[in-house]
Amino acid sequence: LDELLKPIWHAFTALDLDKSGKVSKSQLKVQDNFDRQDFNRMCWTLCARKNLNRTHLLISDEDAFKIWCIFNFLSEEKYPLAIVTEEIEYFLRKLTEAMGGSWVEERFEDYKLELSIKQQSLSAWELITLVGTGTFSKGVDRQTLSMGITEVFHELILDVFKQGYMMKKGHKRKNWTERWFLLRPNSMSYYVSEDLAEKKGDIVLNANCCVESLPDKEGKKCLFYVKCSDKSYEINASDKKRKQEWIQAIQMCLSLMQLGRTVPHRESLQKRRDLRQKQQGEQEELELRMRELQTANENKQHQLEALRKKLEEAAANAAEEERRLLQTQTEQQDRYRMDLEREKMVRQEMEEQVAQKSSELEQYLQRVHELEDMYHRLKDALEDEKRARQDEETVRRLQARLLEEEAIKRAELEQIHLHQQRAISETEVEKQELRKEGTAKENALQAAMLQLEQLEKERQVALEQYQEVVQKLEDAANNTRTWKHKVAHHEGLVRLVQPGSKGPQKITNWGPASFTEAELSLREKDWQERKNQAAENQ
């Protein structure tokens, strides 16, 4: 029934002139009993008149009909009917072998590439044009092409396993006569000639039949016989090779009958169709997975786009924060510059006063210079302490205690300084007596310096502990306080002890002091290093 549907589809398609999908009853004819080949030929007659273009065809209408039947056999089980590339290659390979030629794979690969650009299959009429124009049979005459088409038609449509001339021994006269034999799955027919015009008989094959080789006799050297339940047939082939081929072909027919299997080319066709369906299913599954992956990829792209926007916003915020930090730093630099200018002016005024000081204060000023160096070290330690704002509370308490002791000592030094100022303002006689007292006070000052050195050592231990904490806090350097907070925090913690005078004193932002040009240069250099270090941390 499935094989009859395809010719019917061709006929109905040809009768459906207005493409409505319907055919009037007047165009149809119902027939109860019919031969399948006659039915195919009737459907061919209906559709060939409309669709077959005989221009440039090298084959007859009969050969075109056979190609049409082969197309119906090899085409896919879906409508409109079409034959895929794999089945086209199978048919052309069979046709080339039937014509005695060699299959050229490269030529078909070029054609397959050209076909894949346009479409993946051919209709029946395109297949007839492909074979009829000699695209794959160049150099072959028309007769050979016709014989090749007929042989493939017999094999695929009529299920002919083998055909050819052989000598058959008669049952009555016992004479040898040449006959054209046609081997099918369940019979072996013989005709007068290969045109199949006059049929002489059939050898019905069944599970009880067998085929065996016979020894030479009566001048026949390629004998074999087919033994059936009622008769035995002696046959002589043209040579031993053909004899063996016929025996093997008949044995294969008997084996297929015993196993209940169909002819090999039909099994092969079904396997190819099943494989294509499997591949199509896998392709559809792969396409489904690709669509799912594409959807997932698009979702990922959306997420990445959203993340990119967030990163851009974060970068913009960071740039704005950096701009504000730079602006704050610039403002701090301006303030520091003004402070330095004021300090320089104060220093100049103080240097004029220092020129009037007596040589007795030189030693004391030297000690003050050492004290100032100590102040610089303490100030550096305090700045490191402020950058590590999350330092442990015990270390801060220790630093506060050290600062408190230092402040006490500084107060004592200031008291000493005040006594010395009062002593300087007295008379020469009193000055001599005060020198002795100053010596005692200098001793007390030295003792205080020793205590300060001891405090410096304790501070150094605290600074070593700070180094570990600072190392941990380097990654969080962007959260450090601004220079304004650092200056405000440090301001007033340490103040230099300055020599006084009876006249009006100049006051710096750290209290009464006097500076030399070298001291001012050192302080400017220290300030510049701290600024650069803060910029690197930010």
Side-chain angles (χ1 to χ4, degrees), residues 317-329:
N317 294 335
E320 180 65 21
E321 182 67 21
E322 183 178 2
R323 186 189 63 78
R324 284 191 280 104
L325 290 175
L326 289 175
Q327 184 178 0
T328 304
Q329 184 179 1

Side-chain angles (χ1 to χ4, degrees), residues 264-280:
H265 64 268
R266 293 183 181 272
E267 289 185 352
S268 175
L269 175 63
Q270 188 61 40
K271 288 179 180 179
R272 292 196 301 273
R273 286 176 178 172
D274 293 342
L275 180 59
R276 282 196 297 272
Q277 290 179 357
K278 181 180 178 181
Q279 290 175 347
Q280 184 178 2

